[in-house]
Amino acid sequence: MRLTADSAAALEAVGVCKFYGTMQVLKDVSLTVRRGEAIAIIGPSGSGKSTFLRCINRLEEINGGMLMVNGHLVGFRREGNKLYELSERAIAAQRRDTGMVFQSFNLFPHMTALENISLAPRVNKIDTKDAIASYAKELLGKVGLSEKADAYPAQLSGGQQQRVAIARALAMKPKVMLFDEPTSALDPEMVAEVLSVMQDLASSGMTMIVVTHEMEFARRVCDRVIFMDQGRIAAVGTPETIFDKPTNPRVIDFLSRVKAADAMPA
């Protein structure tokens, strides 16, 4: 299989397959994401959404197909017609181009917000200590937490911790941001503050791929919506196409179930 880099693409996936033992969780997934696009991936639990995201960041190895981020093969280098797997060190360096925000915040409890954000740039020596600290403070301001620089995770709300996690992912100046259901662990009143930061990122032109159950966010903020079902991409379209004019029976059924769940009394 030959994958040719598209100069306008932030991500190219061609025929991506993933197995856990004999269970196939990704089945021939192909997708191109342009630079500056915000993409939402929706679908039922177990459809392969999070696994696909983790494959992009090489947290999971694919068993077939190819992935390319910013024109570089994920996890491999090509020499002629042959592919060679990268070393763990080279994969870690490659991973710097893709910031990732998880469901859980995973902040170091013994470090302040500022220290959590500064850690990766400092370890990787991407700039001087003072420049890293200055940029970390800038990022805290960007997520609305300038006054929390010296606060420890235990002193922050869930929404504040997730905003620090977003700033931490941005600290390495990634080309693509991956979000794996970033609001699923939050109380409802904290969801809006995190989504607001993500909306600002999308407006700034950051390339974003967001696995989410927040349908209104996908509708308002994202350029395209991907619907995954049983390990495959079952539908791709604009938010209007997916939410207002769906034709795929699985999409129609899924959205009706989401609507019914949202209508249930708390």
Side-chain angles (χ1 to χ4, degrees):
M1 180 184 298
R2 183 166 181 80
L3 184 62
T4 303
D6 181 340
S7 61
L11 166 72
E12 293 176 85
V14 178
V16 172
C17 297
K18 173 66 182 175
F19 289 84
Y20 292 118
T22 60
M23 182 175 67
Q24 187 172 4
V25 294
L26 293 178
K27 304 171 184 176
D28 195 30
V29 174
S30 295
L31 176 68
T32 298
V33 178
R34 302 290 184 183
R35 290 191 175 98
E37 269 195 304
I39 302 292
I41 303 180
I42 65 172
S45 297
S47 59
K49 306 183 301 294
S50 293
T51 299
F52 179 55
L53 215 62
R54 291 173 65 85
C55 288
I56 295 170
N57 207 24
R58 191 63 179 185
L59 295 176
E60 299 280 358
E61 295 183 21
I62 62 176
N63 303 116
M66 292 185 185
L67 282 164
M68 188 174 280
V69 173
N70 292 309
H72 301 287
L73 283 169
V74 175
F76 295 90
R77 60 183 171 84
R78 176 185 281 137
E79 292 186 5
N81 293 323
K82 292 186 177 181
L83 294 179
Y84 298 90
E85 191 167 2
L86 295 178
S87 67
E88 286 300 320
R89 184 172 184 177
I91 290 171
Q94 193 178 64
R95 195 175 285 135
R96 296 171 194 167
D97 278 347
T98 52
M100 189 156 184
V101 179
F102 300 88
Q103 297 177 29
S104 53
F105 323 125
N106 296 325
L107 300 178
F108 289 106
H110 62 289
M111 292 183 177
T112 65
L114 192 66
E115 289 168 340
N116 266 284
I117 296 168
S118 303
L119 180 61
R122 186 162 49 81
V123 169
N124 287 282
K125 299 178 180 178
I126 67 169
D127 211 330
T128 65
K129 185 177 179 180
D130 288 345
I132 290 170
S134 176
Y135 187 52
K137 290 177 182 177
E138 180 184 330
L139 289 173
L140 272 175
K142 194 170 187 175
V143 299
L145 293 173
S146 295
E147 76 286 359
K148 299 294 184 180
D150 297 323
Y152 290 90
Q155 299 171 312
L156 301 174
S157 69
Q160 289 171 335
Q161 289 186 62
Q162 191 62 297
R163 282 188 279 160
V164 172
I166 292 172
R168 178 182 58 185
L170 290 169
M172 292 296 290
K173 301 180 180 179
K175 305 294 192 304
V176 179
M177 282 288 286
L178 309 174
F179 294 86
D180 187 8
E181 299 187 18
T183 60
S184 64
L186 299 178
D187 292 334
E189 63 268 21
M190 298 177 185
V191 169
E193 63 190 54
V194 173
L195 293 181
S196 176
V197 170
M198 293 170 62
Q199 182 171 354
D200 288 345
L201 276 178
S203 297
S204 73
M206 172 63 74
T207 306
M208 295 168 51
I209 305 172
V210 185
V211 171
T212 184
H213 290 296
E214 301 291 341
M215 299 300 141
E216 190 57 30
F217 174 84
R219 179 194 291 272
R220 289 189 299 103
V221 176
C222 295
D223 300 296
R224 285 189 294 155
V225 178
I226 313 299
F227 178 80
M228 291 190 68
D229 184 44
Q230 297 183 359
R232 300 182 186 276
I233 292 179
V236 181
T238 64
E240 180 185 19
T241 299
I242 295 296
F243 292 115
D244 299 332
K245 303 174 184 177
T247 57
N248 185 298
R250 281 295 294 124
V251 176
I252 294 170
D253 179 65
F254 173 76
L255 293 176
S256 67
R257 291 175 185 270
V258 170
K259 187 176 181 179
D262 289 344
M264 291 180 65

